Amino acid sequence: NLGGNASANWITGGSCISYGNGSPNADFIRKYATSGDIAVTISDNASVTYVYNVFYDYEKANGSSTIEINGGSVNTALANVSGTVTEDASVTINGGSVQTVSAGYDGKVGGNAEVTVNGGEVTNVYAVASGTVEQSASVTTNGGEVGIIYATTGGTVKGNASVTTNDGSYGTKGFVTDVIKTLSGYDYFYTCGPEPMLKAVYNKSETSGQFSF
């Protein structure tokens, strides 16, 4: 935890980092792990230039990689840069100002690559900028202001990639549940987002799955 007027250039650590509570400032928040889930949370008046999870190609998260932004200012947030994430990689934005966000920038994601925007201001959203995603890639906007959305700009998605927006400005008009009802033949699902969305996914799904709050 960093609070008050704390400042730092690099932050590395164990299984999770919570950053906010005051007006801290940092150039980098870099997370790496060789086992287990990793998570970074940005909140309050935090000012951060880069949030990088699983940065180098030799780094591996044997689990999920998540970034949650609830406030503050972030230039770039990448759930996976060049390493390996064996399960899902996701970024959820509930508030604040973010320039660029991606669930998979490079490297390999063994599960799904998901970006969910519930609030705040985001300029560029990439579900997958490059690299490989073994399952699906998706961008969902439930609120906030979003500039440009890319499902992928050069990565490989072995499953299906879909984008939903409330106003239909990009991808499918509506909610993620509007896409779910068109799918069939799947035997498991992963979902990350606010509780009302998770309940809606549960009610629309054909099988059991994993929920991330």
Side-chain angles (χ1 to χ4, degrees):
N1 279 288
L2 272 77
N5 295 312
S7 63
N9 291 325
W10 290 84
I11 299 174
T12 65
S15 60
C16 66
I17 286 180
S18 178
Y19 190 79
N21 303 318
S23 300
N25 179 281
D27 293 328
F28 290 85
I29 291 182
R30 173 174 164 251
K31 280 302 305 300
Y32 67 91
T34 56
S35 64
D37 301 333
I38 63 174
V40 173
T41 301
I42 311 295
S43 60
D44 301 319
N45 296 317
S47 177
V48 184
T49 305
Y50 303 109
V51 181
Y52 289 162
N53 284 8
V54 198
F55 188 71
Y56 291 115
D57 57 3
Y58 56 79
E59 293 177 354
K60 181 178 182 180
N62 290 319
S64 64
S65 173
T66 62
I67 297 173
E68 181 177 337
I69 301 173
N70 298 316
S73 174
V74 178
N75 182 284
T76 305
L78 307 176
N80 184 30
V81 181
S82 298
T84 299
V85 178
T86 61
E87 297 181 7
D88 294 346
S90 65
V91 182
T92 301
I93 302 171
N94 299 314
S97 175
V98 184
Q99 178 68 27
T100 301
V101 59
S102 179
Y105 180 78
D106 203 349
K108 179 179 179 180
V109 176
N112 302 295
E114 303 171 336
V115 176
T116 303
V117 181
N118 300 314
E121 298 179 2
V122 188
T123 303
N124 300 300
V125 177
Y126 303 82
V128 183
S130 59
T132 301
V133 177
E134 292 293 327
Q135 296 187 26
S136 66
S138 64
V139 177
T140 303
T141 62
N142 299 313
E145 298 181 12
V146 180
I148 302 174
I149 300 175
Y150 306 90
T152 180
T153 56
T156 299
V157 181
K158 295 187 177 180
N160 297 318
S162 61
V163 177
T164 62
T165 55
N166 287 3
D167 60 3
S169 58
Y170 190 85
T172 300
K173 182 179 181 180
F175 301 98
V176 64
T177 47
D178 294 316
V179 173
I180 290 176
K181 66 184 181 183
T182 68
L183 304 177
S184 62
Y186 59 91
D187 54 14
Y188 201 76
F189 68 84
Y190 299 86
T191 181
C192 177
E195 188 172 347
M197 189 193 81
L198 299 182
K199 288 181 178 179
V201 170
Y202 174 79
N203 291 330
K204 293 288 185 180
S205 62
E206 297 179 348
T207 184
S208 60
Q210 181 173 318
F211 299 86
S212 178
F213 295 87

